[in-house]
C-alpha cells in the first residue's frame, strides 16, 4: 500500500508518522512532488541512510536519465529548478559536494555568526517593544519571520529595502504545492540574486555574499556565477524558513508544558537544553529533501530498489522510542544528544550555530519580557503548513498580558 503524505498528514504529523513507525517503517509513499517514493520513519534507518553514500543527492542526473529514456530534454521548468537550487551543494554528491561545501565553509564561519549577536538581540527587542498589549499577536508573522529575515539578510548582505519578499519566496519554494507559484518564486529569486551578485562583484561589502564571490581554495577554484546564485538561494531559504519554525515551535512546546516553562524562567541557562529539546520534539524539518538510491539498498524491513526516490523523516526519527525514552514527552532535562533535526554526516547543517543563536536569543527574550505569555487560541485551532519539508505553524497567536 502506498501512503499519501498530504495536507491531512501535515495536520496530524506525529499521529501519521507514529503509525508508520509501528506498522511500516519503510513504506511506499507519494507526495505532491513525488508520485512514487519510499518513506523511511525509524531512527536507525533514517540515521543510517542520511549518512549512506549509496543514497544520492544529485537529483538532476536522475531527472536527465529519466528524460533521456523518454527521448526528451528537461523541460524549461525543470531546467529552472536545477539552475536555481539543483546545482547547490545540497543536491550534489562528492566530489562536487565536497568542493562547494569547502568553499562555503571558508566564508560562512562561526565568527561571522557571532558578529551578528548584538544586532540580532537589538532587533528582537525592537520587535517585542512593538507588540500590542491589548490584542493577540501572531508570533510567526510579527516576530519569528522578521527576526530571522533580519539574521539571514544581514549575514548575506541583502539591502534592507529588498527583504520583504523573502518570506513569500521561502513559503512558495518549501510548501507542498509545486505549482505556478513555486516556479515564479524560483525565477524571481534567480533574477534578483544574479543582479545583486553582479553588483557586489563590482562593489564588495563586508558580508557573506561578497566573501563567497571572492573565496577560492588552495587550487584557486571559485564558485561559478550559477553556483553563487544557487548557493545564496540555498542559504536564504534553508536558513530562514527553518529558523522561523524553530522559534514558533519552541513557544508552542513551552506553552504546552508549564512546568518546563517555569523551570526555564527560574534558570535561564536552561535555554540551550530547551532549544535542543524543541529541535527533537517539534523538529522544524519533517522530511528531508528527496534523494534517491544510487544502487539497491537492503534494510531489515525490505529492499529499496536502485533509482527509487528516498524520503527520510527526521521528525519521525526523533520520536522513536527505541532511542528516546518516553519520546512524546517534552522534557528539557534530556541530554539533547542524538536528534537528527540538523541532519547527519557530510550534509550536516552548516547553519546550526546560527539557528541555535536565533532560537536561544528569541526564547530568552520572549520569556523574560512577557511573564504572562500564553496562547490566544486553543491548541487544536492551530494549523500546520501544508509542506512535507517543513513542520511549522501557519500562525501562532499569543497574548502577552493577563
Ligand atoms: C532550526 C534551523 C535549521 C534547521 C532545523 C536546519 C536543518 C537542516 C538539515 C536537516 C539539513 C540537512 C539536509 C539534508 O541532509 O538533506 C540542513 C542542511 C543545510 N542547512 Fe540547515 N537548518 C537550519 C538552519 C539553517 C541556517 C540558519 C542556515 C544558513 C544560514 C542553514 C543552511 C543549510 C545549508 C546550506 C544546508 C546544506 C548543507 C550541505 O548540503 O552540505 N540551515 N539544514
Amino acid at each position: 500500500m502506498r501512503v499519501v503524505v498530504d495536507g491531512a498528514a501535515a495536520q496530524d504529523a506525529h499521529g501519521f508518522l507514529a503509525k508508520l513507525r509501528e506498522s511500516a517503517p519503510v513504506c511506499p509513499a507519494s507526495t505532491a512532488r513525488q508520485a512514487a517514493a519510499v518513506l523511511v520513519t525509524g531512527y536507525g534507518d533514517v540515521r543510517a541512510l542520511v549518512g549512506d553514500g549509496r543514497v544520492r543527492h544529485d537529483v538532476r542526473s536522475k531527472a536527465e536519465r529519466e528524460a533521456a529514456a523518454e527521448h526528451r530534454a528537461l523541460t524549461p521548468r525543470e531546467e529552472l529548478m536545477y539552475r536555481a537550487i539543483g546545482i547547490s551543494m545540497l543536491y550534489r554528491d562528492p566530489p562536487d559536494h565536497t568542493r562547494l561545501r569547502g568553499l562555503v565553509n571558508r566564508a560562512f564561519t562561526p565568527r561571522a555568526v557571532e558578529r551578528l549577536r548584538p544586532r540580532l538581540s537589538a532587533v528582537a527587542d525592537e520587535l517585542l517593544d512593538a507588540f500590542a498589549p491589548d490584542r493577540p499577536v501572531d508570533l510567526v508573522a510579527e516576530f519569528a519571520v522578521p527576526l530571522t529575515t533580519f539574521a539571514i539578510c544581514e549575514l548575506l548582505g541583502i539591502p534592507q529595502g529588498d527583504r520583504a519578499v523573502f518570506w513569500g519566496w521561502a513559503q512558495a519554494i518549501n510548501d507542498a504545492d509545486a505549482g505556478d507559484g513555486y516556479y515564479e518564486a524560483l525565477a524571481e529569486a534567480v533574477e534578483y540574486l544574479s543582479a545583486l551578485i553582479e553588483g557586489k562583484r563590482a562593489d564588495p561589502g563586508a558580508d557573506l555574499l561578497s566573501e563567497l564571490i571572492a573565496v577560492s581554495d588552495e587550487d584557486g577554484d571559485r564558485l561559478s556565477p550559477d553556483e553563487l546564485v544557487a548557493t545564496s538561494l540555498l542559504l536564504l531559504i534553508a536558513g530562514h524558513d527553518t529558523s522561523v519554525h524553530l522559534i514558533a515551535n519552541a513557544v508552542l512546546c513551552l506553552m504546552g508544558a508549564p512546568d518546563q516553562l517555569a523551570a526555564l524562567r527560574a534558570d535561564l541557562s536552561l535555554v540551550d537544553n530547551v532549544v535542543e529539546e524543541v529541535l527533537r520534539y517539534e523538529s522544524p524539518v519533517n522530511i528531508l529533501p528527496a534523494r534517491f538510491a544510487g544502487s539497491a539498498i537492503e534494510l531489515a524491513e525490505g529492499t529499496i530498489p536502485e533509482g527509487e526516490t528516498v524520503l527520510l523523516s527526521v521528525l519521525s526519527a526523533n520520536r522513536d522510542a527505541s532511542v528516546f525514552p518516553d519520546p512524546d514527552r517534552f522534557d528539557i532535562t534530556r541530554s539533547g544528544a542524538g536528534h537528527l533535526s540538523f541532519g547527519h554526516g557530510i550534509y550536516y547543517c552548516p547553519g546550526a550555530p546560527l539557528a541555535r543563536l536565533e532560537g536561544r536569543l528569541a526564547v530568552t527574550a520572549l520569556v523574560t519580557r512577557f511573564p504572562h505569555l500564553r496562547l490566544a487560541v486553543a491548541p487544536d485551532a492551530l494549523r500546520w503548513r501544508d509542506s512535507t519539508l517543513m513542520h511549522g505553524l501557519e500562525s501562532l497567536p499569543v497574548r502577552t498580558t493577563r
Side-chain angles (χ1 to χ4, degrees):
M1 194 202 66
R2 192 172 289 286
V3 290
V4 181
V5 192
D6 56 9
Q11 294 315 317
D12 177 29
H14 292 298
F16 175 82
L17 294 166
K19 276 195 207 118
L20 286 178
R21 273 198 312 280
E22 186 65 35
S23 60
V26 178
C27 183
S30 68
T31 70
R33 296 191 189 192
Q34 307 289 341
V38 165
L39 173 61
V40 182
T41 46
Y43 184 94
D45 287 336
V46 171
R47 189 170 192 280
L49 290 171
V50 169
D52 188 325
R54 291 171 299 174
V55 176
R56 311 297 298 270
H57 285 230
D58 180 4
V59 283
R60 180 181 179 122
S61 68
K62 178 173 183 262
E64 277 173 345
R65 276 197 303 280
E66 287 168 358
E70 293 164 15
H71 307 289
R72 64 170 180 89
L74 293 181
T75 63
R77 283 191 157 186
E78 285 172 321
E79 284 290 359
L80 168 63
M81 180 174 74
Y82 292 122
R83 177 173 173 221
I85 44 177
I87 58 167
S88 73
M89 60 183 143
L90 183 55
Y91 295 99
R92 307 287 282 275
D93 296 309
D96 300 320
H97 173 268
T98 323
R99 171 184 156 262
L100 292 170
R101 175 107 185 202
L103 286 165
V104 171
N105 282 349
R106 281 171 181 256
F108 187 23
T109 58
R111 249 200 24 239
V113 171
E114 202 42 47
R115 272 203 302 267
L116 268 181
R117 184 189 290 271
R119 278 173 292 156
L120 200 57
S121 181
V123 170
D125 282 337
E126 274 168 35
L127 291 166
L128 298 183
D129 287 344
F131 273 19
D134 49 351
R135 65 164 174 84
V137 175
D138 177 6
L139 261 189
V140 173
E142 296 179 56
F143 184 62
V145 170
L147 186 68
T148 57
T149 303
F150 174 84
I152 193 67
C153 290
E154 280 292 292
L155 186 77
L156 282 168
I158 309 278
Q160 193 103 41
D162 297 350
R163 298 178 181 178
V165 290
F166 290 128
W167 178 235
W169 286 350
Q171 289 181 96
I173 292 172
N174 285 341
D175 277 353
D177 175 19
D180 293 345
Y182 170 73
Y183 292 100
E184 278 159 22
L186 287 180
E188 283 173 26
V190 167
E191 192 184 333
Y192 172 77
L193 289 169
S194 304
L196 183 69
I197 288 166
E198 284 325 301
K200 286 195 186 282
R201 203 185 287 285
D203 182 16
D207 54 57
L208 182 57
L209 258 187
S210 301
E211 283 172 37
L212 287 171
I213 293 166
V215 80
S216 61
D217 65 16
E218 294 84 4
D219 304 326
D221 182 30
R222 286 167 184 271
L223 294 166
S224 72
D226 278 354
E227 287 169 349
L228 274 167
V229 171
T231 301
S232 41
L233 183 57
L234 174 67
L235 287 166
L236 258 176
I237 302 300
H240 183 197
D241 210 351
T242 45
S243 300
V244 167
H245 295 303
L246 172 60
I247 295 169
N249 291 0
V251 173
L252 179 67
C253 291
L254 289 168
M255 295 298 106
D259 56 329
Q260 316 274 306
L261 175 58
L264 172 63
R265 287 194 200 283
D267 177 3
L268 288 174
S269 73
L270 289 173
V271 73
D272 295 9
N273 280 45
V274 168
V275 167
E276 290 318 296
E277 177 63 350
V278 171
L279 283 161
R280 182 197 72 82
Y281 185 81
E282 293 292 11
S283 166
V285 171
N286 178 1
I287 297 174
L288 295 177
R291 44 268 258 158
F292 66 99
S295 56
I297 301 173
E298 303 270 350
L299 299 171
E301 300 82 6
T303 299
I304 303 179
E306 180 177 349
E308 184 79 279
T309 297
V310 178
L311 302 176
L312 305 173
S313 172
V314 294
L315 184 70
S316 173
N318 288 345
R319 295 278 189 119
D320 189 327
S322 67
V323 179
F324 304 101
D326 200 2
D328 297 327
R329 181 175 143 73
F330 177 71
D331 177 1
I332 64 172
T333 64
R334 286 179 206 267
S335 78
H339 71 69
L340 296 177
S341 301
F342 287 127
H344 167 66
I346 62 171
Y347 298 90
Y348 182 83
C349 178
L354 175 57
R356 288 188 166 115
L357 172 66
E358 291 172 288
R360 291 168 186 172
L361 200 141
V363 168
T364 307
L366 279 162
V367 303
T368 43
R369 289 280 296 267
F370 301 122
H372 303 297
L373 188 69
R374 64 202 157 89
L375 291 185
V377 296
D380 58 10
L382 296 170
R383 300 269 317 159
W384 295 90
R385 273 188 36 206
D386 183 4
S387 171
T388 59
L389 175 65
M390 301 308 308
H391 173 62
L393 295 165
E394 285 176 2
S395 66
L396 182 58
V398 295
R399 284 190 183 274
T400 54
T401 49
R402 223 193 270 276

